[in-house]
Amino acid sequence: MSTLRLLFLLLLTTTSTCLHGQGDTIFRPSARLGFDMYGFARRFFEPENRALEFSADWEWRKNWFLALEGGGMAVDIEKETHSYEAGGWFFRFGADYNFLQRPDPVHQDLVIALIRYGFGSLDHQAPGIRVSNPYWGDYLTEIPSERFLAHWLELGGGLKTRIGGHLFMGWTIRARFLISQSQESLISPYTISGFGRHSRNTSVGIHYFLYYKIPF
């Protein structure tokens, strides 16, 4: 009798463990929509630069996310010697990987590594350029509007956490590497749409996103 009882308990324990393991492996896809709050804060220390960015990600496989980002930007600079105007748009797409295999069920934290391909288009011009000469006086000229295109690669990481309900907050830090850009340009762009300052072929970007998780 004791042997049969032992076998029954062993079978019951094994079955319970298997069912529990199956519950852990159930995959429920998720998707998030968000916008970058850093664009609003940037106006305080770069008032000449305006940007708006949105994002979307979809967990197509457990801990693997497809990501799409896009937005627009505008620059308006007024100096004594010149004025500069620019406006453009950009998009990025790539993937995220979550290193937390068993996230906290309450906060549902995600610690991610990311890769992105980015493309930006910019129309810019210098409608007023003042060239001063003590003998001939001031000379006014302009550079007409022209289009600037750029491609780049991004590598980085970040964190996402639930703040309540279906709302999430997160941040990412990324290194950007310029792959190619327009060569024939009369003026260098002040900033590249979605990439950052044009002064170097690499840049570092920080993003603070607010997300809404779409329930399935």
Side-chain angles (χ1 to χ4, degrees):
M1 179 66 69
S2 59
T3 303
L4 291 176
R5 183 178 179 183
L6 179 61
L7 290 175
F8 175 76
L9 291 175
L10 181 61
L11 178 62
L12 181 62
T13 303
T14 304
T15 303
S16 176
T17 302
C18 291
L19 290 175
H20 188 330
Q22 291 176 358
D24 287 345
T25 59
I26 293 176
F27 171 64
R28 296 180 177 87
S30 64
R32 293 178 179 85
L33 299 176
F35 73 94
D36 188 0
M37 298 181 293
Y38 181 72
F40 296 98
R42 189 176 181 181
R43 293 296 305 277
F44 291 99
F45 52 91
E46 288 187 53
E48 71 279 4
N49 200 324
R50 303 181 300 278
L52 185 64
E53 181 173 339
F54 298 94
S55 72
D57 65 64
W58 175 53
E59 190 176 12
W60 62 280
R61 184 178 178 183
K62 187 175 182 180
N63 294 313
W64 286 94
F65 298 82
L66 295 177
L68 177 65
E69 301 165 348
M73 56 81 65
V75 177
D76 189 359
I77 299 176
E78 290 288 342
K79 302 288 186 178
E80 292 185 2
T81 57
H82 68 278
S83 61
Y84 175 82
E85 299 173 358
W89 56 270
F90 63 90
F91 72 85
R92 312 185 197 95
F93 70 86
D96 300 340
Y97 177 73
N98 175 36
F99 287 101
L100 295 182
Q101 301 296 322
R102 294 176 180 270
D104 178 359
V106 176
H107 297 97
Q108 302 177 31
D109 293 339
L110 302 176
V111 177
I112 61 170
L114 64 87
I115 183 172
R116 298 282 191 276
Y117 160 78
F119 172 79
S121 175
L122 179 74
D123 291 310
H124 62 151
Q125 63 180 335
I129 300 175
R130 182 185 300 273
V131 180
S132 298
N133 186 289
Y135 183 79
W136 298 105
D138 293 346
Y139 172 70
L140 298 179
T141 186
E142 65 177 3
I143 297 178
S145 177
E146 59 181 16
R147 179 156 296 178
F148 183 91
L149 306 176
H151 305 257
W152 65 88
L153 179 69
E154 298 185 4
L155 300 173
L159 171 68
K160 298 177 184 179
T161 187
R162 188 165 72 95
I163 58 176
H166 297 294
L167 290 178
F168 283 71
M169 288 190 68
W171 59 266
T172 63
I173 183 169
R174 314 174 185 191
R176 300 189 175 110
F177 307 92
L178 201 60
I179 299 174
S180 66
Q181 59 180 315
S182 299
Q183 297 299 324
E184 297 181 2
S185 179
L186 295 175
I187 53 175
S188 296
Y190 176 76
T191 184
I192 300 175
S193 307
F195 178 85
R197 292 292 181 90
H198 179 252
S199 57
R200 292 178 294 180
N201 290 331
T202 59
S203 70
V204 177
I206 300 176
H207 300 266
Y208 294 94
F209 283 98
L210 180 65
Y211 301 93
Y212 177 79
K213 184 176 181 180
I214 303 173
F216 287 98

